[in-house]
Amino acid sequence: MTDAQTPKKPAAAPQAVPAQPGRVLQVERRDFTQLVPENRPRVQSMRGFDDCYTDIVDYIVRCTHRIWDERDVGLIYSHYTHNCVAYTTLGTMYDRETHIRDTIQRLVEFPDRRGMAQQVIWNGDDVNGFYTSHMTHGSGRHTQIGAWGKPTGRTYCTRTVADCMILENKIYKEWIVRDNMGPLIQVGIDPHEFAQSLAQRKFDLGEPVMDTAENRRLLGQYPPESEADLSIANNEGEAQLLTWLHHIYNKRMFGKIHEIYAPNCQWHGPLMRELYGVAAVLQQTMRLVALMPDCSFVPQHICSVESEEGGTKYALRWVMDGHHLGYGSLGAPTGHPLFVMGVTHFHIKDGKIVDEWAVYDEFSMLVQLKLAALQAAA
C-alpha cells in the first residue's frame, strides 16, 4: 500500500483544559476585568466548554458580554442549541434563529445599552448540566426607531434576570425575566397605550388568554396546604426559605415577614424601586398579592451559593397565577386572569434576609389584561 493509499488517522479530539484548585468566581466586589480574566487556570471541571471559560460564572458573564457588548451575535450558534426554548414575560421563543433576530433588534434599537452583571447564583456540574441565575442592571438610551416607536432620546435603567440551563457550552433552556414597565416609563412612553397596541397584535394573531378558572391553591373548602413542597430544595437552607415563602404567599401569613427579615433589610424591586426596612417589604409583598388575591405561589427552581460577603445567596424562580380582583398599579379590578413569572434573589445572613431583589414584569400583566378585554369584547 502506498503512502497515498494509507488511511489517515482521525484528528485527535481537543483536550479539555484541566481544572486547577481554586474557587468559582463571584460577581459582587469585582470589576468586570476580574470577571473575564486572562490566563486564569480553569478552577472547575468544564467538559465540552470553550477553553476561554475557567468556571461557570466566567462562562455566563463572558459570553453575555461577547454577544451583547462586543456584538458577536453569531456566538449564539455555538452557545445555544438549535431548539433552545427561551421563556420571557411577553412570549416564548422556540428556536435559535428567533433568539438571534430578537438580539439584533434590541441592539439596533438601544445601541449604547450595557448589561452589567450584579450576581450569578448557580448549581450543577458539567455531567448533569449547570443552572445559572444571572442578574444584571441594564442601562442605555432610547435613540433608534424600533418596537418602542419613535426614539425619545431619554435614558433608562432596568433589572433583568436570565436563568439558564447549560450543558457542554450550550444553553438549551432559558427564562428571561425583564422589568419592561420601568424603562417604558423612564423614556416617556405611556405603558397603557403601548400595552394596548401589543395586545391588539397578539389578538390579531389569535393568541389565546389561558384561564384555568381556579389554581387549586385551595382544594374545595380546605385551607391551603400546611407544609411547603420541598422537592426542589437541595439543602436545609433552601428548604427553610421555601417554607418561609409558602407561609407568606400561600397561607397569607404576612406577619412572618417581621420574623425573617433583618430590621435594616433592603428591598430592590420592579421600576428600580429601592426600599428599606421590614415595613417596606411587608407593603410590597402584600401589594403584589393584592392585585390577584386568589393567587397561588409556585416555586419552580432554587439554587444557592455561599457568599464571600458572608451568609448565603439564593435564587428562586417562581410563578403566580390568579385573577385581577384587587386594586393597584394595574387599575381597577377587571376579573381577568393574570399570570406572573418572576425571579427573586435573597441574601440571608445569621438567619435573616438582609437583601431581596424581586424581578417581575408589571407591563406583561398589563398586556394580559388588555388582551383579555379584547377577547371578551369579540
Side-chain angles (χ1 to χ4, degrees):
M1 182 178 290
T2 65
D3 289 343
Q5 294 173 313
T6 303
K8 295 181 179 179
K9 294 181 180 181
Q15 297 297 308
V17 177
Q20 301 292 328
R23 297 188 63 181
V24 175
L25 289 167
Q26 292 193 9
V27 173
E28 307 85 273
R29 305 195 300 183
R30 284 179 172 79
D31 186 68
F32 176 76
T33 55
Q34 296 173 293
L35 297 174
V36 291
E38 300 294 332
N39 303 316
R40 178 186 187 234
R42 179 165 280 183
V43 301
Q44 185 179 32
S45 182
M46 300 283 285
R47 177 178 60 90
F49 284 78
D50 291 350
D51 289 348
C52 62
Y53 303 124
T54 61
D55 62 38
I56 194 59
V57 174
D58 180 350
Y59 168 85
I60 203 67
V61 172
R62 191 190 298 262
C63 78
T64 301
H65 188 274
R66 293 169 73 191
I67 292 169
W68 285 88
D69 289 334
E70 299 175 31
R71 301 297 197 269
D72 285 332
V73 179
L75 285 175
I76 291 175
Y77 287 112
S78 59
H79 287 69
Y80 285 77
T81 60
H82 76 286
N83 58 350
C84 175
V85 180
Y87 303 94
T88 80
T89 56
L90 291 171
T92 303
M93 295 180 283
Y94 292 98
D95 63 89
R96 186 166 55 197
E97 289 299 327
T98 302
H99 208 109
I100 289 173
R101 287 196 299 270
D102 181 75
T103 301
I104 294 172
Q105 290 292 324
R106 289 184 179 277
L107 286 172
V108 169
E109 190 167 8
F110 308 102
D112 61 353
R113 172 201 168 275
R114 294 289 180 270
M116 295 167 285
Q118 301 299 312
Q119 290 180 162
V120 177
I121 301 172
W122 64 276
N123 65 6
D125 55 45
D126 62 351
V127 175
N128 299 299
F130 289 102
Y131 188 103
T132 61
S133 188
H134 178 201
M135 186 177 72
T136 64
H137 286 166
S139 62
R141 197 158 62 93
H142 185 215
T143 60
Q144 304 295 319
I145 193 167
W148 286 13
K150 183 179 178 181
T152 64
R154 293 171 63 172
T155 60
Y156 69 89
C157 183
T158 188
R159 189 175 289 116
T160 301
V161 178
D163 278 21
C164 295
M165 299 179 76
I166 312 157
L167 183 67
E168 296 186 358
N169 210 74
K170 284 186 168 62
I171 297 166
Y172 62 92
K173 194 171 289 186
E174 183 173 19
W175 292 263
I176 305 170
V177 182
R178 183 182 291 114
D179 173 17
N180 291 295
M181 181 76 92
L184 286 170
I185 294 173
Q186 291 171 48
V187 303
I189 297 174
D190 186 320
H192 283 269
E193 289 184 6
F194 190 57
Q196 186 66 47
S197 65
L198 183 54
Q200 186 66 57
R201 290 202 299 272
K202 289 177 175 288
F203 178 77
D204 293 342
L205 292 171
E207 185 171 319
V209 172
M210 302 302 293
D211 186 359
T212 55
E214 66 173 43
N215 52 38
R216 307 301 283 168
R217 184 181 73 89
L218 305 177
L219 297 182
Q221 300 172 59
Y222 285 101
E225 290 288 342
S226 59
E227 302 300 329
D229 180 359
L230 304 180
S231 59
I232 63 173
N234 303 288
N235 53 55
E236 291 184 5
E238 293 176 8
Q240 180 65 77
L241 180 58
L242 291 172
T243 299
W244 286 346
L245 297 175
H246 176 74
H247 279 267
I248 292 169
Y249 284 97
N250 286 325
K251 299 182 71 175
R252 313 299 201 239
M253 299 294 287
F254 301 110
K256 190 77 174 175
I257 290 172
H258 289 277
E259 300 177 23
I260 65 176
Y261 283 80
N264 61 344
C265 63
Q266 290 185 250
W267 185 89
H268 321 265
L271 280 67
M272 298 306 289
R273 291 191 290 265
E274 297 286 346
L275 304 175
Y276 303 87
V278 176
V281 175
L282 178 64
Q283 176 67 13
Q284 295 305 313
T285 302
M286 294 184 67
R287 176 180 178 273
L288 176 58
V289 175
L291 288 174
M292 40 181 178
D294 65 338
C295 68
S296 174
F297 177 83
V298 182
Q300 294 191 313
H301 186 275
I302 189 169
C303 56
S304 57
V305 294
E306 296 302 309
S307 174
E308 294 175 348
E309 299 173 294
T312 306
K313 291 194 172 178
Y314 298 83
L316 178 70
R317 177 167 53 83
W318 49 267
V319 295
M320 294 173 67
D321 72 295
H323 294 82
H324 184 217
L325 301 173
Y327 288 88
S329 59
L330 304 180
T334 62
H336 295 316
L338 270 180
F339 175 84
V340 185
M341 177 174 67
V343 177
T344 305
H345 284 194
F346 298 90
H347 188 189
I348 298 179
K349 294 176 69 174
D350 301 322
K352 300 281 188 178
I353 298 172
V354 296
D355 270 294
E356 175 182 339
W357 295 263
V359 186
Y360 54 89
D361 186 12
E362 295 179 345
F363 177 71
S364 73
M365 299 163 72
L366 196 58
V367 173
Q368 291 174 58
L369 298 182
K370 304 287 189 185
L371 178 58
L374 287 172
Q375 295 193 351

